[in-house]
Amino acid sequence: MAKKRISLSEGSKCPAVSFVHPQHRDVPGAVAFLAHEYRMVRKKLEILLDVKITDEALDGSIKDYNDCRQTMRTFGRVAAHHLDIITPTIRHLIIKAYYFMDVCEYIAAVRKLTKLLRREKPDQYSGKK
């Protein structure tokens, strides 16, 4: 099954699941409230998506998300040294594509692009970044 963000998998008629972060998360009552909010969101998503959300699935999703963010940070650092190839506008469009593509395909493409950019000699760009 392709991994997509819920807003894309459900189309424009996606129901909203409200969630509130407490402001003072170091207070014991706020920690209990936050745990309750997490459990509520989990239950609502299970109902909406008709799936059972396990702790292992959550761990896997968190790892995938962190991996995606690391890939994007790496791409941004590498692209900054190749402004002759990846202009800020192109970099913006590459980052924006994340919202419209399958996550696995997108990350594979960004990793490939980053690998190809690393092979190129860094540009001595003298204009505005």
Side-chain angles (χ1 to χ4, degrees), residues 4-18 44-45 48-49:
K4 292 186 180 180
R5 285 145 305 283
I6 188 169
S7 62
L8 291 180
S9 62
E10 296 297 321
S12 62
K13 296 181 182 179
C14 179
V17 176
S18 60
K44 285 183 179 181
L45 287 174
L48 286 173
L49 301 174

Side-chain angles (χ1 to χ4, degrees), residues 44-101:
K44 285 183 179 181
L45 287 174
E46 286 177 340
I47 292 167
L48 286 173
L49 301 174
D50 195 30
V51 296
K52 176 71 176 155
I53 299 174
T54 63
D55 290 339
E56 294 80 22
L58 284 174
D59 289 342
S61 292
I62 291 168
K63 287 177 184 174
D64 289 346
Y65 178 79
N66 289 339
D67 183 47
C68 176
R69 298 297 302 153
Q70 180 59 44
T71 300
M72 293 312 298
R73 284 191 296 271
T74 302
F75 167 72
R77 282 193 299 271
V78 172
H81 296 287
H82 298 282
L83 290 171
D84 57 328
I85 301 170
I86 305 290
T87 65
T89 302
I90 293 172
R91 185 177 65 230
H92 166 75
L93 292 174
I94 291 169
I95 293 168
K96 187 176 178 180
Y98 169 77
Y99 297 103
F100 304 102
M101 291 179 65

Side-chain angles (χ1 to χ4, degrees), residues 93-121:
L93 292 174
I94 291 169
I95 293 168
K96 187 176 178 180
Y98 169 77
Y99 297 103
F100 304 102
M101 291 179 65
D102 175 72
V103 176
C104 296
E105 291 176 17
Y106 175 78
I107 292 303
V110 171
R111 284 185 177 145
K112 184 176 181 181
L113 179 59
T114 303
K115 184 178 177 182
L116 292 171
L117 285 173
R118 283 185 167 148
R119 291 182 189 167
E120 298 293 322
K121 183 179 176 185

Side-chain angles (χ1 to χ4, degrees), residues 16-34:
V17 176
S18 60
F19 176 72
V20 178
H21 270 283
Q23 290 186 5
H24 301 287
R25 290 183 287 275
D26 54 343
V27 177
V31 173
F33 175 77
L34 183 60

